[in-house]
Amino acid sequence: MITGEPCRVAGLVAMARRAEELGFDSVWLADHFLLYFRGPDFPPLGSWECWMTASAIGAATTRVEIGTLVSSTSFRPPAVLAAMVNTLDDLTDGRLILGLGAGDAEKEHRAMGIPFEQRVGRFEEALTILHALLHEGQSSFEGRFYQTSDCQLLPPGPRAGGPPFLIGALAQSPRMLRLTAQYADIWNVMLAFGRSRPDAIPPLRAAVDAACRKHGRDPATLARSAAVLVDCSGFGWYPDGMEPLTGSPEELAEAFRAFAREGISHLQVATYPTTIEGIEQLAPVLELLDQT
């Protein structure tokens, strides 16, 4: 949790159910085991396993989409991950959004005994296998890091072509931009730990549009999403570079509309505090958005 306070899986499920009741369109889970973002002088924070938690939320909800933001392909063999994805998509009757990433937390990888070197190369091979299995139902692949041999994804999932792929990529990562252009249905930018403002979008959008054109894709076919932090507490102090959204319901609703004007069709909103009460404070914002 963003507050640093422990939460049982049942608490996460309760937050997801409350979000669904209030009219949120989706709920999102990070994929980490040990979190070191507080700095080297602090012990790590832990996190419940992403896919088991997503399954609990999927079984407890009926409408909201469930997304991973993002699931690191380094943590699980890609063919195994494809089977997990297929199972959850069936459990939720096709409500899964598959957010994928290469994994950027080196210390976490080292602690867990998971290779971190050549992480984008590993990601590209894993993505190739995942895409083949979830879109075509089979994969035979011989790579440097991963291999499959006449692997089939059975039984078939509830959606032809599987769930939509979401990939996050920044302007300074041309390889990730290329993979986004080649494989993603949705592009994502993580603003929650930086400047959660609509004016951060145009240069990032320009970079992903250019990557699409470079690699033969119409930019209009790629949906856009952004993850932002909203301070519902009036906390007031944040590390350098972190600028969450704050303000009245009317001000927050206008900020969300400004993201839409920048081409963002889906916002992942992290609330501070990450509690049921924090989620409930956004209910008036949703009501205002529903009026427009």
Side-chain angles (χ1 to χ4, degrees), residues 237-271:
W237 179 89
Y238 306 93
D240 289 344
M242 183 179 287
E243 299 180 44
L245 290 170
T246 60
S248 67
E250 290 77 13
E251 291 169 325
L252 290 174
E254 179 53 31
F256 290 176
R257 294 187 194 102
F259 274 106
R261 290 193 292 270
E262 295 295 347
I264 301 299
S265 59
H266 202 133
L267 277 179
Q268 298 96 1
V269 178
T271 62

Side-chain angles (χ1 to χ4, degrees), residues 9 12-13 27-35 46-59 66-73 75-76 81 84-85 88 91-92 96-101 108 112:
V9 173
L12 297 175
V13 172
V27 295
W28 296 80
L29 293 167
D31 186 16
H32 285 286
F33 301 98
L34 296 171
L35 302 162
S47 178
W48 301 111
E49 199 280 327
C50 170
W51 288 94
M52 295 187 72
T53 304
S55 294
I57 290 173
I66 299 170
T68 54
L69 196 66
V70 288
S71 188
S72 174
T73 59
F75 289 159
R76 304 162 189 88
L81 179 57
M84 295 167 64
V85 169
L88 184 56
L91 172 69
T92 59
L96 176 63
I97 301 173
L98 178 58
L100 295 168
E108 178 183 30
M112 301 290 292

Side-chain angles (χ1 to χ4, degrees), residues 100-101 120 123-124 127 131 165-170 173-189 204 207-209 211-212 215 217-219 221-225:
L100 295 168
V120 178
F123 177 69
E124 182 167 3
L127 190 57
H131 192 272
F165 280 35
L166 175 148
I167 301 176
L170 296 176
S173 180
R175 292 176 70 190
M176 291 297 289
L177 285 170
R178 171 176 62 81
L179 293 172
T180 299
Q182 290 176 337
Y183 289 105
D185 301 289
I186 308 166
W187 166 71
N188 178 259
V189 58
L204 303 172
V208 76
D209 285 355
C212 285
H215 299 288
R217 178 170 183 174
D218 180 356
T221 65
L222 181 65
R224 319 301 169 93
S225 66

